[in-house]
Amino acid sequence: MYSAHTVICGAGILGLTIARELLKTGCDDVIIFDKEPALGKHASGRNSGVLHAGIYYDPGTLKAKMCLEGNRRMQAYCEERGLPLFKSGKVIVARTEDELDTLDELERRATANGGVVEMIDKQRLAEIEPNAFTVNRALYSPLTSVVDPKRILASMREELETSGKVRFFFDTRFTGTAGPNKVATSQGDIGYKLFINAAGAYSDKVAQAFGIAGDYRLLPFKGIYRVLKKPAADRIKGSIYPVPNIKNPFLGVHFTRSVHGDVYVGPTAIPAFGRENYGILKGLDHEVLNILFRDMRMFMENKKFRTIALEEPRKYFFKHFFNDAAKLVKEIAPEDMLPTAKAGIRPQLVNIKTSQLVMDFVIEEAENSVHILNSISPAFTSSMYFAELVVKEHVTAS
């Protein structure tokens, strides 16, 4: 049987950043295990790479507390390590006059969260993003940046392995608990003094194996993208986002120039039928009936989800996807958007008793274990600060 002082389930960005923080506290024996053969196979390696700047989140929430400082730390890490970093900035544009009140609310939230934003007119918008369209005014975020998530994951893995204090076990699936201070995996049991659940899309299942989080389930939403061809791509300088519906946790289809110069359009937030349902049928699993049942129940009981369930699936069809994106810019043609294999799954936490989408990060504790639930955007942005708070408030304080 393997054992370590601290065992982390999940080799995504939170697993790695938490391990880094543990080393700072003097912990010198960590195992990180993951069911995949390599890093970045799911959310941490499939996201857009945008470092958010504390705009969207209700003041007082964990997201609001962690996002901006996480952004600063991740940018500093990329600069120190020579990793790709594109200080792109972002504009949030209003498609109709009805969205202007929400735009004002975003400015209020960003300011309350310590963010740096500027409400700009059309003339200033044209200087920053010449092809962006807005009604009356837009919100500019100069601190929004873009990184290469897979390069960051690889750098952190190298850093942790070089320390000689962290071991990685890949192709190792969590299968349950195996008695006090012991978990069962596909490669055998692993003993621990502290167990940390950073399993992303499967974190609810891991937590429930410890007898907690019974009221929570993760419901998968699929993000599909298109990519712009030249010369249309050259007309996007940074990131162009719509004013979102702040009553739900999704930001809407948007334009993002990556650190490598590609311009992606997306993602959608289509209800998916598997935690790894990246294609139309690919990734369907034995949970599909449970997910369908949960979707139907949410559809009946939750108005916010009903809106998502009615609007988002249409974006599988190019016409609807294109029309949604085209509202953000002055000039674009259907032939400018090309298919791409890029896709992601956002595992959104749901309270099954209330049929409500959980809007914030959730951290729960069981005996000698800490469980991170709902690690969705801006989890990547927040990860370095999030990890520090997890270690300080839920590990060393316990």
Side-chain angles (χ1 to χ4, degrees):
M1 182 183 79
Y2 298 102
S3 65
H5 178 279
T6 302
V7 173
I8 301 173
C9 178
I13 190 65
L14 288 180
L16 301 189
T17 52
I18 289 170
R20 292 177 78 247
E21 288 299 320
L22 287 168
L23 297 190
K24 293 177 185 178
T25 68
C27 181
D28 61 0
D29 186 18
V30 179
I31 287 175
I32 302 175
F33 73 93
D34 196 286
K35 71 181 182 65
E36 299 296 345
L39 300 171
K41 293 295 185 181
H42 299 293
S44 292
R46 289 175 173 266
N47 66 72
S48 64
V50 173
L51 297 183
H52 295 285
I55 295 172
Y56 302 100
Y57 318 111
D58 202 7
T61 61
L62 288 173
K63 288 184 177 184
K65 182 178 181 180
M66 296 176 182
C67 182
L68 190 59
E69 179 60 22
N71 174 306
R72 292 186 179 119
R73 294 188 185 193
M74 191 65 80
Q75 289 201 47
Y77 182 81
C78 290
E79 289 173 339
E80 289 165 7
R81 295 264 164 173
L83 300 175
L85 174 64
F86 175 35
K87 297 184 178 183
S88 61
K90 171 171 73 176
V91 294
I92 302 173
V93 298
R95 292 158 293 189
T96 67
E97 288 191 2
D98 292 341
E99 294 183 336
L100 293 174
D101 286 345
T102 302
L103 194 67
D104 293 335
E105 171 62 13
L106 293 179
E107 181 185 32
R108 184 196 72 80
R109 289 186 178 189
T111 302
N113 293 337
V116 177
V117 292
E118 178 187 354
M119 192 68 75
I120 58 176
D121 59 20
K122 289 184 177 182
Q123 181 177 349
R124 176 76 173 120
L125 175 63
E127 295 170 359
I128 298 167
E129 281 286 356
N131 197 30
F133 169 84
T134 197
V135 173
N136 191 269
R137 59 186 184 273
L139 194 63
Y140 173 51
S141 167
L143 297 183
T144 299
S145 296
V146 184
V147 297
D148 183 332
K150 290 185 177 180
R151 289 284 300 276
I152 290 171
L153 292 170
S155 175
M156 288 187 178
R157 177 184 179 180
E158 180 183 18
E159 178 186 358
L160 292 169
E161 288 184 322
T162 301
S163 75
K165 301 173 182 178
V166 180
R167 290 171 283 167
F168 284 86
F169 293 2
F170 291 103
D171 292 309
T172 304
R173 182 183 295 271
F174 175 90
T175 57
T177 55
N181 287 18
K182 190 188 304 180
V183 292
T185 79
S186 58
Q187 302 295 332
D189 294 348
I190 304 177
Y192 61 85
K193 290 186 178 180
L194 173 67
F195 179 85
I196 298 177
N197 169 13
Y202 296 89
S203 58
D204 59 333
K205 288 182 167 294
V206 175
Q208 286 152 18
F210 283 77
I212 62 171
D215 291 343
Y216 291 126
R217 297 292 184 277
L218 282 163
L219 197 60
F221 288 81
K222 185 185 307 183
I224 59 175
Y225 294 80
R226 299 270 173 169
V227 65
L228 291 189
K229 69 178 184 180
K230 291 179 177 289
D234 296 331
R235 293 193 287 268
I236 307 297
K237 305 303 180 185
S239 292
I240 305 173
Y241 278 61
V243 172
N245 178 351
I246 56 175
K247 293 181 180 179
N248 73 51
F250 307 111
L251 299 183
V253 168
H254 49 268
F255 293 81
T256 301
R257 177 173 289 277
S258 78
V259 290
H260 305 297
D262 302 308
V263 176
Y264 288 98
V265 190
T268 57
I270 300 168
F273 301 124
R275 299 178 193 229
E276 300 175 26
N277 178 211
Y278 298 114
I280 295 177
L281 297 177
K282 183 181 179 182
L284 295 181
D285 56 33
H286 65 279
E287 285 193 271
V288 64
L289 293 179
N290 288 334
I291 292 171
L292 282 169
F293 174 76
R294 222 171 294 149
D295 278 354
M296 287 188 291
R297 180 179 172 186
M298 292 282 290
F299 185 89
M300 297 297 293
E301 298 180 3
N302 185 301
K303 184 177 179 181
K304 287 190 291 186
F305 180 80
R306 190 156 59 243
T307 300
I308 296 167
L310 290 173
E311 292 181 357
E312 287 293 318
R314 297 185 305 168
K315 295 174 190 174
Y316 261 129
F317 300 99
F318 177 74
K319 174 184 175 182
H320 295 288
F321 184 101
F322 174 80
N323 287 343
D324 200 39
K327 295 173 184 176
L328 308 181
V329 293
K330 298 172 184 174
E331 181 184 352
I332 197 167
E335 55 269 24
D336 293 330
M337 286 190 192
L338 302 176
T340 175
K342 184 178 176 67
I345 293 290
R346 179 189 177 113
Q348 170 63 47
L349 197 67
V350 173
N351 185 315
I352 59 173
K353 278 196 171 181
T354 63
S355 292
Q356 297 298 309
L357 303 177
V358 179
M359 298 291 283
D360 204 5
F361 303 140
V362 175
I363 304 171
E364 295 208 353
E365 296 182 24
E367 186 175 359
N368 298 327
S369 66
V370 178
H371 302 262
I372 301 163
L373 305 168
N374 212 34
S375 53
I376 54 175
S377 181
F380 196 100
T381 300
S382 306
S383 58
M384 299 183 86
Y385 189 41
F386 190 6
E388 179 184 309
L389 296 183
V390 167
V391 170
K392 282 184 177 179
E393 297 179 9
H394 298 273
V395 175
T396 56
S398 60

